[in-house]
Amino acid sequence: MNYLLIFLTLVGTGLLKSPVKPASQPVVVLELFTSQGCSSCPPADRALQAITQQAARSGQQVYGLSFHVDYWNRLGWQDPFSNKLFTDRQRQYDRALNSQTYTPQLVINGRQDIIGGQKGKIEQAIQAIQQQPASNFVGVDGSVSQDTKQVTVRYALSAAGPYRVNVALVQKEARTDVRNGENGGRTLVNTNVVRQFKTIDKAEQAGSVTLPLPTGLTSDQTAVLVYVQRTDNGQIVGAKQL
C-alpha cells in the first residue's frame, strides 16, 4: 500500500496536516535558458551538468533544469526542445530581475542571474545559498505515477503558502547531431532538458499535476522536479526530485 499517496489525499482534502518534514538543508535550483542554435551555450550546458552531478555525489540538493528557448530557431537550426513557454518564462524573470534577455542565462533560485558559462561565479552563488539556515526553506515530498500517455505528480509541502509550485518533467540527457546554425556539425549533450512544465499559482499545501508523457521516452530516461517559489518575489524555497 502506498501510504504517501494516502497522506497526500488526506492532506488535499483537509483531513490531515502535512506529514512532510521541514527542509533539512538549503536547496538550489538552477534554471538555464539555452539553445542548440547558440554557439555560446554548449559551455553553459557542460557547466550545468558538471555542477549538478558533483552536487549529487556530495548529497547536496542542487538541481538543474535546461529550458530551451525558441528565439534562436530562425537563425538556421530548429532546436527540437525549444518552446515559446520557456521563452516567456525567461522574459518574466528578466522583468523581475531588471535583466536583459540573453543566452546562456542561468537564474539561481529565482533571484539572481549569471552568464551560464561562468562556472566559478555559479559555484560561489550556490555556496552563499547553502550557508543560509534550513529554516528559510520548505520541505517537499511527492510521488509519481504514469501510464502510456501521461504522468501524474502528487506533492505535499511542509508549510502552507501561499506558494507557487512548479512541476518539470525532464529528459535526463539528450544527444543531438546539429546540422545547421552556429553549432552545425557538432553533437551537443544537454542535461535535464525540460520536456513538460506546469506552474500552479497560489498552490494548496498538497495537490497533483498531470503532464503528457513525451513520445519515445521511458521512465528511466526521465525525472520530475517539483520546486516551490514565494509568490511575492519569486524566490525558490523548496525542491524535490522524484
Side-chain angles (χ1 to χ4, degrees), residues 3-21:
Y3 291 101
L4 177 58
L5 293 183
I6 294 174
F7 272 130
L8 295 179
T9 301
L10 292 174
V11 171
T13 57
L15 298 177
L16 186 71
K17 293 183 178 179
S18 171
V20 180
K21 295 180 180 179

Side-chain angles (χ1 to χ4, degrees), residues 55-78:
R57 288 191 293 266
S58 303
Q60 300 173 340
Q61 294 186 24
V62 178
Y63 307 106
L65 296 171
S66 296
F67 288 93
H68 286 233
V69 297
D70 68 345
Y71 47 82
W72 280 89
N73 289 351
R74 66 184 184 277
L75 299 177
W77 176 249
Q78 185 81 22

